[in-house]
Amino acid sequence: MFRVITNSATPVSGACRLFFVQVRNTTAAAASKTNAPDTKKPDMVHQKSESKPRIKTVSIYRWNPEEPDKKPYLQDYKINLSECGPMVLDALIKIKNEMDPSLTFRRSCREGICGSCSMNIDGRNTLACIRKIDESDKPLKIYPLPHMYVVKDLVPDFTNFYMQYKMIEPYLKRKTPTPIGDKQLFQSVEDRKKLDGMYECILCACCSTSCPSYWWNADKYLGPAVLMQAYKWIVDSRDEYTKERLDQFRDTFSLYRCHTIMNCTKSCPKGLNPGKAIGEMKTLLASIASSPSKNSATVGVEYK
């Protein structure tokens, strides 16, 4: 950039003035050409860095019941993270769609709501749809939920888990006649808050299958998920079978196999605390705490 300093008293010839103007214009054009982005030739270096392959090894547990003589094994797949979504479920779907259609796993909502894609990822029970892929050089290891029978690959058998859930009768039970669909059962704000931290459970079984007590006594011990659901109905002010619900746990296994290891709370992908609910149930059975009040003035007023 050149600046022409002239004295108003000193005349400047037309040719000289024209020369300085040309120098100024040429310099400005060169500067603008240097700073302005080249639309015809985009930044190829930037494009290459964006499309650079990021290879990740995914080791997946495989077992096919149609091949009973073949033992379970880990199968490695290599995927490009630059062409894959950020979550573990994205990687599984990519492998199934593009590499191995025989890979079997459960999935549904992809939002951490249904609990279908619960599995053991890098040693921790969680949901594949909300677990982000670790971009380190370590292989991503995926197993089915531990200590459950395997149907195929990453699909565990939930039969025993759902039978235990059915045993606690997970529905509202009342002794006061309540015509179905006639009127609502109102609940106070305080009573409603008692259900927070329990109604969010999606029954993914991540907590139960991380509990050592459930590993060894799954046929008798109900496990954290089912027990928390049972406690939810015990404290629900609309339910009138509190005593009966508590009495079904007066044995040495169904509830008291819990040794407060707290793996359940640590592994819950929803951030819930089943261990606390189990502790509250123990205090109720030991008569240390009083049973939650039912039939209050804010519940079922229209039926009294």
Side-chain angles (χ1 to χ4, degrees):
M1 184 71 180
F2 293 93
R3 177 181 296 177
V4 179
I5 302 177
T6 60
N7 190 342
S8 59
T10 305
V12 180
S13 64
C16 183
R17 184 181 297 111
L18 178 61
F19 171 76
F20 281 122
V21 170
Q22 288 178 344
V23 170
R24 185 186 297 113
N25 292 341
T26 304
T27 306
S32 62
K33 185 176 181 181
T34 303
N35 299 329
D38 188 355
T39 56
K40 296 182 180 179
K41 295 182 179 180
D43 188 355
M44 299 305 294
V45 177
H46 178 69
Q47 285 190 352
K48 288 182 180 179
S49 64
E50 286 293 326
S51 60
K52 183 179 179 181
R54 295 179 296 146
I55 305 303
K56 180 74 173 180
T57 300
V58 183
S59 299
I60 302 177
Y61 176 97
R62 302 300 307 272
W63 181 74
N64 189 349
E66 297 178 358
E67 300 176 356
D69 297 333
K70 192 173 183 180
K71 294 182 179 181
Y73 62 96
L74 286 179
Q75 185 168 354
D76 291 346
Y77 301 91
K78 293 187 181 296
I79 62 172
N80 184 2
L81 296 183
S82 299
E83 301 174 353
C84 178
M87 302 302 176
V88 174
L89 183 59
D90 295 319
L92 291 173
I93 293 175
K94 181 178 179 64
I95 292 171
K96 184 175 180 66
N97 290 345
E98 302 177 8
M99 301 180 187
D100 188 353
S102 68
L103 179 62
T104 307
F105 55 91
R106 291 191 180 106
R107 65 181 178 90
S108 184
C109 72
R110 301 185 67 164
E111 296 179 351
I113 296 175
C114 69
S116 299
C117 62
S118 56
M119 55 190 70
N120 186 281
I121 302 173
D122 283 340
R124 182 170 182 174
N125 295 350
T126 186
L127 302 176
C129 63
I130 61 175
R131 175 64 182 265
K132 199 169 184 179
I133 300 175
D134 180 14
E135 298 189 15
S136 67
D137 296 332
K138 295 181 180 179
L140 177 66
K141 295 186 178 181
I142 307 175
Y143 293 85
L145 292 176
H147 292 267
M148 296 185 79
Y149 291 107
V150 176
V151 178
K152 184 180 179 182
D153 293 342
L154 301 176
V155 179
D157 187 356
F158 272 68
T159 301
N160 182 61
F161 180 79
Y162 287 133
M163 288 297 293
Q164 292 174 327
Y165 182 58
K166 179 182 178 181
M167 193 184 76
I168 66 169
E169 299 181 325
Y171 43 83
L172 187 67
K173 297 177 66 177
R174 289 182 60 81
K175 298 176 182 178
T176 304
T178 54
I180 298 177
D182 184 16
K183 294 181 180 180
Q184 298 184 41
L185 289 175
F186 295 104
Q187 194 172 32
S188 68
V189 176
E190 292 74 17
D191 288 336
R192 170 60 185 79
K193 285 183 179 180
K194 295 177 182 178
L195 307 181
D196 289 344
M198 293 184 288
Y199 79 89
E200 301 95 333
C201 175
I202 57 177
L203 295 174
C204 63
C206 284
C207 62
S208 293
T209 53
S210 68
C211 174
S213 296
Y214 192 76
W215 295 348
W216 314 131
N217 303 285
D219 57 332
K220 300 177 182 178
Y221 174 55
L222 296 183
V226 173
L227 289 174
M228 184 171 69
Q229 290 297 308
Y231 182 66
K232 182 188 73 172
W233 292 107
I234 289 173
V235 299
D236 194 321
S237 58
R238 299 166 296 180
D239 191 274
E240 297 178 349
Y241 278 75
T242 304
K243 183 180 182 302
E244 291 81 357
R245 290 186 185 276
L246 284 172
D247 287 342
Q248 66 180 334
F249 300 110
R250 295 186 185 278
D251 60 78
T252 58
F253 275 93
S254 60
L255 171 66
Y256 285 100
R257 284 298 95 184
C258 172
H259 298 301
T260 325
I261 301 172
M262 301 303 288
N263 277 5
C264 54
T265 301
K266 185 177 180 180
S267 65
C268 178
K270 303 295 287 185
L272 308 181
N273 191 350
K276 179 182 178 182
I278 295 173
E280 296 290 344
M281 287 183 63
K282 289 180 179 179
T283 58
L284 290 176
L285 285 171
S287 299
I288 298 175
S290 58
S291 298
S293 59
K294 301 294 179 75
N295 294 324
S296 62
T298 58
V299 180
V301 188
E302 60 275 16
Y303 298 117
K304 297 176 183 176

Short mmCIF file of all heavy atoms in Angstrom, two decimals, residues 225-266:
data_model
loop_
_atom_site.label_atom_id
_atom_site.label_comp_id
_atom_site.label_asym_id
_atom_site.label_seq_id
_atom_site.Cartn_x
_atom_site.Cartn_y
_atom_site.Cartn_z
N ALA A 225 -34.01 -53.99 39.60
CA ALA A 225 -35.04 -53.38 38.75
C ALA A 225 -36.44 -53.74 39.22
O ALA A 225 -37.32 -52.88 39.37
CB ALA A 225 -34.83 -53.80 37.29
N VAL A 226 -36.67 -55.01 39.46
CA VAL A 226 -38.00 -55.47 39.89
C VAL A 226 -38.34 -54.95 41.28
O VAL A 226 -39.48 -54.53 41.55
CB VAL A 226 -38.07 -57.01 39.83
CG1 VAL A 226 -39.38 -57.51 40.42
CG2 VAL A 226 -37.93 -57.49 38.39
N LEU A 227 -37.36 -54.95 42.17
CA LEU A 227 -37.61 -54.48 43.54
C LEU A 227 -37.93 -52.98 43.56
O LEU A 227 -38.76 -52.54 44.35
CB LEU A 227 -36.41 -54.78 44.43
CG LEU A 227 -36.20 -56.26 44.76
CD1 LEU A 227 -34.90 -56.46 45.53
CD2 LEU A 227 -37.39 -56.83 45.54
N MET A 228 -37.26 -52.22 42.72
CA MET A 228 -37.57 -50.79 42.67
C MET A 228 -38.99 -50.56 42.14
O MET A 228 -39.71 -49.68 42.62
CB MET A 228 -36.55 -50.04 41.81
CG MET A 228 -36.77 -48.53 41.82
SD MET A 228 -35.46 -47.60 41.02
CE MET A 228 -35.73 -48.07 39.32
N GLN A 229 -39.39 -51.36 41.17
CA GLN A 229 -40.75 -51.25 40.66
C GLN A 229 -41.76 -51.66 41.73
O GLN A 229 -42.84 -51.06 41.84
CB GLN A 229 -40.92 -52.13 39.42
CG GLN A 229 -40.18 -51.63 38.20
CD GLN A 229 -40.69 -50.28 37.74
OE1 GLN A 229 -41.88 -50.07 37.54
NE2 GLN A 229 -39.77 -49.34 37.58
N ALA A 230 -41.43 -52.67 42.53
CA ALA A 230 -42.32 -53.08 43.62
C ALA A 230 -42.47 -51.96 44.65
O ALA A 230 -43.57 -51.68 45.14
CB ALA A 230 -41.78 -54.34 44.28
N TYR A 231 -41.36 -51.31 44.97
CA TYR A 231 -41.41 -50.22 45.95
C TYR A 231 -42.20 -49.04 45.41
O TYR A 231 -42.86 -48.32 46.17
CB TYR A 231 -39.99 -49.79 46.31
CG TYR A 231 -39.94 -48.69 47.35
CD1 TYR A 231 -40.37 -48.93 48.65
CD2 TYR A 231 -39.49 -47.42 47.02
CE1 TYR A 231 -40.33 -47.92 49.61
CE2 TYR A 231 -39.45 -46.41 47.97
CZ TYR A 231 -39.88 -46.66 49.26
OH TYR A 231 -39.86 -45.66 50.21
N LYS A 232 -42.17 -48.84 44.11
CA LYS A 232 -42.94 -47.74 43.52
C LYS A 232 -44.43 -47.91 43.81
O LYS A 232 -45.13 -46.94 44.15
CB LYS A 232 -42.71 -47.70 42.00
CG LYS A 232 -43.44 -46.55 41.31
CD LYS A 232 -43.33 -46.66 39.80
CE LYS A 232 -44.20 -47.77 39.27
NZ LYS A 232 -44.27 -47.77 37.78
N TRP A 233 -44.93 -49.15 43.71
CA TRP A 233 -46.34 -49.38 43.99
C TRP A 233 -46.63 -49.36 45.49
O TRP A 233 -47.74 -49.04 45.91
CB TRP A 233 -46.79 -50.72 43.38
CG TRP A 233 -46.78 -50.68 41.89
CD1 TRP A 233 -45.89 -51.28 41.04
CD2 TRP A 233 -47.69 -49.96 41.06
NE1 TRP A 233 -46.19 -50.98 39.74
CE2 TRP A 233 -47.30 -50.17 39.72
CE3 TRP A 233 -48.80 -49.15 41.30
CZ2 TRP A 233 -47.96 -49.61 38.64
CZ3 TRP A 233 -49.47 -48.59 40.23
CH2 TRP A 233 -49.05 -48.82 38.91
N ILE A 234 -45.63 -49.69 46.30
CA ILE A 234 -45.82 -49.65 47.75
C ILE A 234 -46.03 -48.22 48.23
O ILE A 234 -46.85 -47.96 49.12
CB ILE A 234 -44.61 -50.31 48.45
CG1 ILE A 234 -44.64 -51.82 48.22
CG2 ILE A 234 -44.62 -49.99 49.94
CD1 ILE A 234 -43.41 -52.54 48.73
N VAL A 235 -45.29 -47.28 47.67
CA VAL A 235 -45.39 -45.88 48.12
C VAL A 235 -46.42 -45.08 47.32
O VAL A 235 -46.69 -43.93 47.67
CB VAL A 235 -44.02 -45.18 48.03
CG1 VAL A 235 -43.00 -45.86 48.91
CG2 VAL A 235 -43.53 -45.11 46.59
N ASP A 236 -46.99 -45.67 46.30
CA ASP A 236 -48.00 -44.96 45.51
C ASP A 236 -49.26 -44.78 46.35
O ASP A 236 -49.87 -45.76 46.80
CB ASP A 236 -48.32 -45.74 44.23
CG ASP A 236 -49.10 -44.91 43.22
OD1 ASP A 236 -49.98 -44.13 43.64
OD2 ASP A 236 -48.83 -45.02 42.01
N SER A 237 -49.65 -43.53 46.58
CA SER A 237 -50.78 -43.24 47.47
C SER A 237 -52.10 -43.74 46.92
O SER A 237 -53.08 -43.86 47.66
CB SER A 237 -50.86 -41.73 47.72
OG SER A 237 -51.01 -41.03 46.50
N ARG A 238 -52.17 -44.06 45.65
CA ARG A 238 -53.42 -44.54 45.05
C ARG A 238 -53.62 -46.03 45.25
O ARG A 238 -54.74 -46.54 45.12
CB ARG A 238 -53.44 -44.21 43.56
CG ARG A 238 -53.37 -42.72 43.25
CD ARG A 238 -53.04 -42.48 41.80
NE ARG A 238 -51.70 -42.99 41.47
CZ ARG A 238 -51.14 -42.91 40.27
NH1 ARG A 238 -51.82 -42.33 39.28
NH2 ARG A 238 -49.94 -43.40 40.05
N ASP A 239 -52.56 -46.76 45.55
CA ASP A 239 -52.63 -48.22 45.72
C ASP A 239 -53.01 -48.55 47.16
O ASP A 239 -52.50 -47.93 48.11
CB ASP A 239 -51.29 -48.85 45.36
CG ASP A 239 -51.37 -50.35 45.26
OD1 ASP A 239 -51.23 -51.03 46.30
OD2 ASP A 239 -51.57 -50.86 44.14
N GLU A 240 -53.88 -49.55 47.35
CA GLU A 240 -54.38 -49.89 48.68
C GLU A 240 -53.96 -51.28 49.15
O GLU A 240 -54.53 -51.82 50.09
CB GLU A 240 -55.91 -49.79 48.69
CG GLU A 240 -56.41 -48.37 48.43
CD GLU A 240 -57.93 -48.28 48.38
OE1 GLU A 240 -58.60 -49.34 48.33
OE2 GLU A 240 -58.45 -47.14 48.40
N TYR A 241 -52.95 -51.86 48.52
CA TYR A 241 -52.48 -53.19 48.91
C TYR A 241 -51.05 -53.12 49.44
O TYR A 241 -50.23 -53.98 49.15
CB TYR A 241 -52.55 -54.14 47.71
CG TYR A 241 -53.93 -54.71 47.48
CD1 TYR A 241 -54.93 -53.93 46.92
CD2 TYR A 241 -54.24 -56.02 47.83
CE1 TYR A 241 -56.20 -54.44 46.70
CE2 TYR A 241 -55.52 -56.54 47.63
CZ TYR A 241 -56.49 -55.75 47.06
OH TYR A 241 -57.74 -56.26 46.86
N THR A 242 -50.78 -52.13 50.26
CA THR A 242 -49.42 -51.95 50.77
C THR A 242 -48.96 -53.12 51.61
O THR A 242 -47.86 -53.66 51.42
CB THR A 242 -49.36 -50.66 51.62
OG1 THR A 242 -49.79 -49.56 50.83
CG2 THR A 242 -47.94 -50.41 52.10
N LYS A 243 -49.79 -53.56 52.56
CA LYS A 243 -49.41 -54.66 53.45
C LYS A 243 -49.19 -55.94 52.66
O LYS A 243 -48.22 -56.67 52.88
CB LYS A 243 -50.48 -54.87 54.51
CG LYS A 243 -50.14 -55.96 55.52
CD LYS A 243 -51.25 -56.11 56.54
CE LYS A 243 -50.88 -57.18 57.58
NZ LYS A 243 -50.62 -58.51 56.95
N GLU A 244 -50.08 -56.23 51.75
CA GLU A 244 -49.96 -57.45 50.96
C GLU A 244 -48.70 -57.42 50.08
O GLU A 244 -48.03 -58.45 49.90
CB GLU A 244 -51.19 -57.64 50.08
CG GLU A 244 -52.47 -57.95 50.84
CD GLU A 244 -53.15 -56.72 51.43
OE1 GLU A 244 -52.59 -55.61 51.29
OE2 GLU A 244 -54.23 -56.87 52.01
N ARG A 245 -48.39 -56.26 49.56
CA ARG A 245 -47.19 -56.14 48.71
C ARG A 245 -45.93 -56.36 49.55
O ARG A 245 -44.97 -56.97 49.09
CB ARG A 245 -47.16 -54.78 48.02
CG ARG A 245 -48.25 -54.61 46.95
CD ARG A 245 -48.06 -53.29 46.21
NE ARG A 245 -49.11 -53.01 45.25
CZ ARG A 245 -49.15 -53.49 44.01
NH1 ARG A 245 -48.16 -54.26 43.59
NH2 ARG A 245 -50.13 -53.19 43.18
N LEU A 246 -45.90 -55.83 50.75
CA LEU A 246 -44.74 -56.00 51.61
C LEU A 246 -44.59 -57.45 52.09
O LEU A 246 -43.47 -57.96 52.19
CB LEU A 246 -44.82 -55.06 52.82
CG LEU A 246 -44.51 -53.58 52.56
CD1 LEU A 246 -44.84 -52.75 53.78
CD2 LEU A 246 -43.05 -53.40 52.17
N ASP A 247 -45.71 -58.09 52.38
CA ASP A 247 -45.66 -59.45 52.93
C ASP A 247 -45.04 -60.44 51.96
O ASP A 247 -44.47 -61.46 52.40
CB ASP A 247 -47.07 -59.92 53.31
CG ASP A 247 -47.59 -59.23 54.57
OD1 ASP A 247 -46.75 -58.67 55.31
OD2 ASP A 247 -48.81 -59.21 54.79
N GLN A 248 -45.11 -60.19 50.68
CA GLN A 248 -44.57 -61.16 49.73
C GLN A 248 -43.03 -61.17 49.71
O GLN A 248 -42.43 -62.04 49.10
CB GLN A 248 -45.10 -60.86 48.32
CG GLN A 248 -44.64 -59.55 47.72
CD GLN A 248 -45.20 -59.33 46.33
OE1 GLN A 248 -45.53 -60.28 45.62
NE2 GLN A 248 -45.32 -58.07 45.93
N PHE A 249 -42.43 -60.20 50.43
CA PHE A 249 -40.96 -60.16 50.49
C PHE A 249 -40.42 -60.63 51.84
O PHE A 249 -39.24 -60.46 52.12
CB PHE A 249 -40.48 -58.73 50.22
CG PHE A 249 -40.88 -58.21 48.88
CD1 PHE A 249 -41.82 -57.19 48.77
CD2 PHE A 249 -40.33 -58.74 47.72
CE1 PHE A 249 -42.20 -56.71 47.52
CE2 PHE A 249 -40.71 -58.27 46.48
CZ PHE A 249 -41.65 -57.26 46.37
N ARG A 250 -41.28 -61.24 52.66
CA ARG A 250 -40.83 -61.71 53.98
C ARG A 250 -40.20 -63.10 53.86
O ARG A 250 -40.72 -64.10 54.38
CB ARG A 250 -41.98 -61.70 54.96
CG ARG A 250 -42.54 -60.31 55.25
CD ARG A 250 -43.59 -60.31 56.33
NE ARG A 250 -44.18 -59.00 56.52
CZ ARG A 250 -43.64 -58.02 57.25
NH1 ARG A 250 -42.49 -58.24 57.88
NH2 ARG A 250 -44.25 -56.85 57.37
N ASP A 251 -39.09 -63.17 53.16
CA ASP A 251 -38.32 -64.41 53.07
C ASP A 251 -36.85 -64.03 52.98
O ASP A 251 -36.51 -62.85 52.99
CB ASP A 251 -38.77 -65.25 51.87
CG ASP A 251 -38.59 -64.51 50.56
OD1 ASP A 251 -37.44 -64.44 50.07
OD2 ASP A 251 -39.59 -63.98 50.02
N THR A 252 -36.00 -65.00 52.87
CA THR A 252 -34.56 -64.72 52.93
C THR A 252 -33.94 -64.40 51.57
O THR A 252 -32.77 -64.00 51.53
CB THR A 252 -33.82 -65.93 53.54
OG1 THR A 252 -34.08 -67.09 52.75
CG2 THR A 252 -34.27 -66.15 54.97
N PHE A 253 -34.68 -64.56 50.50
CA PHE A 253 -34.05 -64.41 49.18
C PHE A 253 -34.61 -63.27 48.34
O PHE A 253 -33.84 -62.50 47.77
CB PHE A 253 -34.18 -65.72 48.38
CG PHE A 253 -33.10 -66.70 48.68
CD1 PHE A 253 -33.29 -67.67 49.64
CD2 PHE A 253 -31.89 -66.67 48.01
CE1 PHE A 253 -32.30 -68.59 49.93
CE2 PHE A 253 -30.88 -67.58 48.28
CZ PHE A 253 -31.08 -68.55 49.25
N SER A 254 -35.92 -63.14 48.22
CA SER A 254 -36.50 -62.23 47.24
C SER A 254 -36.02 -60.79 47.40
O SER A 254 -35.81 -60.07 46.42
CB SER A 254 -38.03 -62.27 47.33
OG SER A 254 -38.47 -61.88 48.62
N LEU A 255 -35.80 -60.35 48.65
CA LEU A 255 -35.34 -58.99 48.92
C LEU A 255 -33.98 -58.96 49.62
O LEU A 255 -33.10 -58.17 49.26
CB LEU A 255 -36.38 -58.25 49.77
CG LEU A 255 -35.96 -56.88 50.33
CD1 LEU A 255 -35.77 -55.87 49.20
CD2 LEU A 255 -37.00 -56.38 51.32
N TYR A 256 -33.81 -59.83 50.60
CA TYR A 256 -32.64 -59.70 51.49
C TYR A 256 -31.35 -60.26 50.92
O TYR A 256 -30.33 -60.27 51.60
CB TYR A 256 -32.96 -60.36 52.84
CG TYR A 256 -33.89 -59.52 53.68
CD1 TYR A 256 -35.24 -59.82 53.74
CD2 TYR A 256 -33.43 -58.41 54.36
CE1 TYR A 256 -36.11 -59.05 54.50
CE2 TYR A 256 -34.29 -57.63 55.13
CZ TYR A 256 -35.63 -57.95 55.19
OH TYR A 256 -36.49 -57.17 55.93
N ARG A 257 -31.36 -60.72 49.68
CA ARG A 257 -30.09 -61.10 49.04
C ARG A 257 -29.31 -59.85 48.62
O ARG A 257 -28.15 -59.95 48.22
CB ARG A 257 -30.34 -61.97 47.81
CG ARG A 257 -30.69 -63.40 48.10
CD ARG A 257 -29.59 -64.15 48.84
NE ARG A 257 -29.78 -64.14 50.29
CZ ARG A 257 -28.94 -64.64 51.16
NH1 ARG A 257 -27.81 -65.20 50.74
NH2 ARG A 257 -29.19 -64.58 52.44
N CYS A 258 -29.93 -58.70 48.69
CA CYS A 258 -29.23 -57.45 48.39
C CYS A 258 -28.22 -57.16 49.50
O CYS A 258 -28.58 -57.06 50.66
CB CYS A 258 -30.21 -56.29 48.26
SG CYS A 258 -29.42 -54.67 48.13
N HIS A 259 -26.95 -56.99 49.12
CA HIS A 259 -25.91 -56.71 50.09
C HIS A 259 -25.36 -55.29 49.93
O HIS A 259 -24.24 -55.00 50.35
CB HIS A 259 -24.78 -57.73 49.96
CG HIS A 259 -25.21 -59.14 50.24
ND1 HIS A 259 -25.77 -59.52 51.45
CD2 HIS A 259 -25.20 -60.26 49.46
CE1 HIS A 259 -26.05 -60.82 51.41
NE2 HIS A 259 -25.72 -61.29 50.21
N THR A 260 -26.14 -54.44 49.30
CA THR A 260 -25.79 -53.01 49.15
C THR A 260 -24.43 -52.83 48.47
O THR A 260 -23.60 -52.03 48.90
CB THR A 260 -25.81 -52.30 50.52
OG1 THR A 260 -26.84 -52.83 51.33
CG2 THR A 260 -26.07 -50.81 50.34
N ILE A 261 -24.19 -53.59 47.43
CA ILE A 261 -22.96 -53.43 46.65
C ILE A 261 -23.03 -52.17 45.80
O ILE A 261 -22.02 -51.54 45.50
CB ILE A 261 -22.73 -54.68 45.78
CG1 ILE A 261 -22.61 -55.92 46.67
CG2 ILE A 261 -21.47 -54.53 44.92
CD1 ILE A 261 -22.58 -57.23 45.91
N MET A 262 -24.25 -51.79 45.40
CA MET A 262 -24.55 -50.55 44.67
C MET A 262 -24.05 -50.56 43.22
O MET A 262 -23.95 -49.51 42.59
CB MET A 262 -24.00 -49.34 45.41
CG MET A 262 -24.54 -49.17 46.82
SD MET A 262 -26.34 -49.07 46.91
CE MET A 262 -26.63 -47.44 46.22
N ASN A 263 -23.75 -51.73 42.67
CA ASN A 263 -23.47 -51.79 41.23
C ASN A 263 -24.67 -51.33 40.42
O ASN A 263 -24.53 -50.77 39.34
CB ASN A 263 -23.10 -53.22 40.82
CG ASN A 263 -21.65 -53.54 41.08
OD1 ASN A 263 -20.93 -52.73 41.66
ND2 ASN A 263 -21.22 -54.73 40.68
N CYS A 264 -25.86 -51.59 40.96
CA CYS A 264 -27.09 -51.24 40.25
C CYS A 264 -27.18 -49.74 40.00
O CYS A 264 -27.49 -49.29 38.90
CB CYS A 264 -28.30 -51.74 41.03
SG CYS A 264 -28.36 -51.17 42.76
N THR A 265 -26.91 -48.97 41.04
CA THR A 265 -26.99 -47.52 40.92
C THR A 265 -25.92 -46.98 39.98
O THR A 265 -26.16 -46.05 39.21
CB THR A 265 -26.85 -46.88 42.30
OG1 THR A 265 -27.91 -47.36 43.16
CG2 THR A 265 -26.92 -45.36 42.22
N LYS A 266 -24.74 -47.57 40.04
CA LYS A 266 -23.64 -47.10 39.20
C LYS A 266 -23.88 -47.38 37.72
O LYS A 266 -23.48 -46.61 36.85
CB LYS A 266 -22.34 -47.75 39.65
CG LYS A 266 -21.10 -47.25 38.92
CD LYS A 266 -19.84 -47.89 39.47
CE LYS A 266 -18.61 -47.35 38.73
NZ LYS A 266 -17.35 -47.96 39.26
#
